Amino acid sequence: MEYRELGRTGLQVSRLCFGALTMGPLQRGLSPQQGSWILRRAFELGVNFVDTAELYCTYEHIRLALQDYASERPVVVTTKSYAYSREGMLNSLEKAQKELGPNCLLIFMLHEQESSHTLRGHWPALEVLFEAKKAGVIHAVGVSTHHVEGVRAAGNIPEIDVISPLINSTGIGIQGGNREDMLSAIKGAANLGKGIVAMKPLGGGHLLADWSSALEYLLVKAEIHSIAVGMKTVQEVENNVAFFQGRRDLPAPEITTRRLHIDDWCIGCGACVRACPNQALEIQAGKAKVASRENCVFCGYCGASCPEFAIKVI
Ligand code: SF4
Ligand code: SF4
């Protein structure tokens, strides 16, 4: 496994980052024990970097995988919270520490920032993270974003160490610009010393048919230090590790058709529409409807925001 310095964080991370969204309740719904076996296999094969979020509900999967795990190379976990207030971020931080346990180095991010305006709006929460880093509770502070402007804005904040931008070979899901605009923003941020963790390399599953060229597209980019790939089986872990180690004769992953399911009991409150970073939903005749199948990257954020449990990725 190849490892890279994650910007100026002082952390060395595997180029393959284990994306934990896919195994959790927003997608495949593996039990914590099942998830931990898959994560553990990835650790054994040299992966030392895991991407999760409070929203993904996979802290227990990760904590179980880390239990009694000893390695020369510490496991780095990046998590994220939508908190915007001081109190909210203190709660998120406490939850992550308690539920992930002590056996990892933590990068804490603001989840899904759009621009300098949203970063300003979250400043009290960011200050908590800066203080936590100073106190040695976390190792780095970051921002995740689907927006070109989000990358540019985070790049200009000296205290932000890591950026997790949405980038892939077709540009699916990128907001506020195209693939080239996003790459240019990423290069600018990397030149400023930020660690870059690419997310949605397979466009939420849309690029699975051409998975090897989609991954290769990102692997050759020096400014991208690590690539978060969602995994939910041991076979996927073994194939992805082999691919990242240079094997190019691997079978294509199984293509599972995913779609959004909206139940009849939707009350049309619009929370899912507001939660969707990709404008893939709309309200029609008092119910949520898919406005654009092409824009949906199956992140599951809509499902997590629904007070009625009426929308999910299946
Ligand atoms: S959040 Fe749930 S109830 Fe509200 S519009 Fe969306 S699917 Fe319907
Ligand atoms: S519709 Fe839901 S799953 Fe699709 S991109 Fe929007 S929030 Fe994510």
Side-chain angles (χ1 to χ4, degrees), residues 52-253:
T52 189
E54 191 173 310
L55 179 80
Y56 302 169
C57 299
T58 52
Y59 286 168
E60 201 182 344
H61 304 60
I62 299 166
R63 183 180 54 74
L64 288 175
L66 287 167
Q67 224 167 37
D68 309 320
Y69 179 71
S71 163
E72 274 175 24
R73 206 178 282 277
V75 172
V76 179
V77 176
T78 172
T79 188
K80 320 174 194 76
S81 160
Y82 285 110
Y84 55 87
S85 67
R86 201 175 162 82
E87 191 189 4
M89 186 53 89
L90 283 168
N91 288 340
S92 286
L93 201 49
E94 189 184 335
K95 180 178 170 69
Q97 279 182 280
K98 191 168 146 202
E99 296 183 13
L100 285 166
N103 210 6
C104 62
L105 303 178
L106 204 54
I107 299 173
F108 215 108
M109 296 194 178
L110 283 184
H111 204 152
E112 190 38 28
Q113 295 299 296
E114 292 175 18
S115 65
S116 55
H117 301 301
T118 57
L119 282 165
R120 258 200 307 278
H122 288 72
W123 201 256
L126 266 179
E127 281 180 333
V128 169
L129 296 182
F130 301 153
E131 289 161 18
K133 181 183 162 192
K134 211 168 169 186
V137 174
I138 60 174
H139 277 72
V141 178
V143 160
S144 78
T145 181
H146 295 195
H147 295 254
V148 173
E149 199 43 50
V151 175
R152 292 201 184 112
N156 287 326
I157 298 177
E159 297 93 334
I160 288 178
D161 310 298
V162 181
I163 302 175
S164 181
L166 188 155
I167 178 75
N168 54 57
S169 58
T170 63
I172 186 171
I174 293 172
Q175 302 297 305
N178 58 25
R179 184 187 77 174
E180 305 315 321
D181 298 326
M182 183 57 104
L183 271 181
S184 154
I186 288 172
K187 270 188 195 155
N191 287 341
L192 288 166
K194 309 301 180 190
I196 305 290
V197 186
M199 68 155 132
K200 302 275 180 251
L202 301 174
H206 289 287
L207 308 180
L208 269 174
D210 210 10
W211 70 291
S212 57
S213 45
L215 290 178
E216 192 73 52
Y217 171 79
L218 295 178
L219 269 171
V220 296
K221 298 203 167 7
E223 62 273 24
I224 292 175
H225 305 121
S226 186
I227 303 164
V229 182
M231 292 181 266
K232 56 191 180 312
T233 65
V234 165
Q235 187 66 59
E236 285 177 352
V237 167
E238 291 175 350
N239 277 4
N240 281 317
V241 168
F243 189 87
F244 274 64
Q245 286 172 333
R247 285 265 308 273
R248 292 296 178 265
D249 58 342
L250 296 157

Side-chain angles (χ1 to χ4, degrees), residues 262 265-273 283 288 302 305-308 310-311:
I262 303 168
W265 61 79
C266 162
I267 57 170
C269 68
C272 56
V273 178
I283 300 293
C302 49
S305 73
C306 178
E308 305 294 322
I311 183 167

